[in-house]
Amino acid sequence: MFSKSKINEPGPKDHDTAAPMKADAPKPAAPASSGDYKPAAPKAKPPASVLSSDLHITGNVKTTGDVQIEGTIEGDIRAHLLTVGEGATVKGEVTADDVVINGRIVGRVRGLKVRLTSTARVEGDIIHKTIAIESGAHFEGSVQRQDDPLTQNKGGAPKPAPAPAGSGQA
């Protein structure tokens, strides 16, 4: 206890009455500086959002964070890291920097890194920069490598389809 008092008293030894006032002044300054450090802590990557197995979503899901899907989604998904669990089903287009598929996807997959594990079931095209397909994975569709598969989703597919269909019908 004496060491705590001695720590607080060395600065204001000359004036005992000024000590409490000076001690009060630095204390508000300390939380302000610790407040400056608190914004640095939230910059740390938050944990992945988990969509549990009893959850069924009809609609699109979009995030800049990580998502782990254990339920069913009928709609498009956009995320940074997307993990599709073994019991999960996604019906729609999946776009993510990293995609790990343990479950079922019916639709197009776009990702810089795409990994199909041995329990994966994919029915649709995969557009990727790098891909890994483990033995035992089921895949029906085409695989196309692109340097930037995330930004070419609007320019790649729609241009060829309307041109032949438009000229053939006209």
Side-chain angles (χ1 to χ4, degrees), residues 49-53 67-73 77 82-90 99-105 115 117 119-121:
S49 299
V50 179
L51 305 178
S52 66
S53 59
V67 178
Q68 180 177 343
I69 299 169
E70 298 297 334
T72 303
I73 295 183
I77 302 172
L82 177 68
T83 304
V84 180
E86 281 191 44
T89 301
V90 176
V99 183
V100 179
I101 304 168
N102 299 309
R104 182 171 185 234
I105 294 183
R115 180 175 150 212
T117 64
T119 58
R121 307 287 181 263

Side-chain angles (χ1 to χ4, degrees), residues 26-52:
K27 288 181 183 175
S33 64
S34 67
D36 294 340
Y37 293 113
K38 286 182 183 178
K43 290 181 184 177
K45 191 174 180 181
S49 299
V50 179
L51 305 178
S52 66

Side-chain angles (χ1 to χ4, degrees), residues 61-145:
V61 176
K62 184 176 181 181
T63 181
T64 57
D66 301 348
V67 178
Q68 180 177 343
I69 299 169
E70 298 297 334
T72 303
I73 295 183
E74 293 181 19
D76 299 340
I77 302 172
R78 174 68 172 109
H80 175 265
L81 167 64
L82 177 68
T83 304
V84 180
E86 281 191 44
T89 301
V90 176
K91 295 181 180 180
E93 183 169 351
V94 169
T95 305
D97 294 338
D98 294 332
V99 183
V100 179
I101 304 168
N102 299 309
R104 182 171 185 234
I105 294 183
V106 179
R108 179 179 290 157
V109 177
R110 294 184 164 275
L112 296 174
K113 288 194 244 177
V114 178
R115 180 175 150 212
L116 279 66
T117 64
S118 60
T119 58
R121 307 287 181 263
V122 178
E123 300 173 28
D125 300 337
I126 298 176
I127 301 168
H128 64 89
K129 187 170 183 181
T130 60
I131 190 166
I133 303 175
E134 291 182 4
S135 178
H138 289 247
F139 171 63
E140 292 182 31
S142 67
V143 178
Q144 181 181 0
R145 187 197 177 282

